Amino acid sequence: MNYFIPPTLAGPRTTQYRMRLTAGEHSPQYVRRIVRSYLREWDMAELTDAVELGVTELLANVVRHVPDRRCEFVLLRQAAGVRVEVVDGCPRLPSIPAELSLEAEGGRGLVLLDAVADKWGVDPLSGGGKSVWFECGSTL
């Protein structure tokens, strides 16, 4: 796992943060702190709630659906807003269920992501695996 470098130590021109990790139950909490710190540094604190929710859902999907739970988390500063990518080696692509019952315990993550992100998608990787990504603030 990479270690967190606070934006103030990384320099004012920092435009991205990357971390490889094996996702576990506490990973979203740790990554949300990193996201919060960078968004504050980039003067985009208004995006914090949406980005934190999206990060939580993508990492939860890694825990549930990627056998080795290994992934790379990427936070990219853009001209207006941010892009988050979670890359893993599992070829199985996520999808939104056609119907969700009220009793269903899963299947709502991408629905939530769709509600809070300006855009999102899944890109299959040529060597196997995929990148699941979303953008927030692109309409700033």
Side-chain angles (χ1 to χ4, degrees):
M1 179 186 305
N2 292 346
Y3 292 96
F4 172 55
I5 301 172
T8 54
L9 298 178
R13 298 183 193 267
T14 301
T15 59
Q16 66 176 307
Y17 177 83
R18 293 179 175 273
M19 173 177 52
R20 287 193 176 113
L21 68 145
T22 300
E25 66 179 81
H26 298 292
S27 298
Q29 177 183 358
Y30 176 74
V31 175
R32 284 192 306 262
R33 284 196 313 248
I34 294 168
V35 165
R36 199 174 310 124
S37 179
Y38 274 92
L39 291 177
R40 261 195 321 265
E41 180 70 21
W42 294 338
D43 294 322
M44 297 182 193
E46 70 279 3
L47 301 176
T48 300
D49 291 342
V51 175
E52 285 185 5
L53 179 60
V55 165
T56 299
E57 292 305 324
L58 294 188
L59 290 175
N61 282 345
V62 170
V63 170
R64 283 188 204 104
H65 303 294
V66 177
D68 65 7
R69 294 184 173 188
R70 293 191 327 199
C71 66
E72 181 178 26
F73 166 78
V74 182
L75 177 67
L76 300 166
R77 180 180 182 176
Q78 298 183 313
V82 296
R83 178 180 174 105
V84 172
E85 300 175 12
V86 175
V87 180
D88 65 63
C90 182
R92 181 175 172 214
L93 301 179
S95 62
I96 296 177
E99 289 187 33
L100 286 171
S101 73
L102 294 176
E103 295 81 29
E105 292 186 22
R108 291 180 175 77
L110 292 178
V111 174
L112 287 171
L113 183 61
D114 191 55
V116 300
D118 293 314
K119 53 185 162 179
W120 69 274
V122 181
D123 298 327
L125 302 177
S126 60
K130 64 191 168 295
S131 172
V132 184
W133 58 270
F134 69 91
E135 295 179 0
C136 288
S138 59
T139 59
L140 289 177

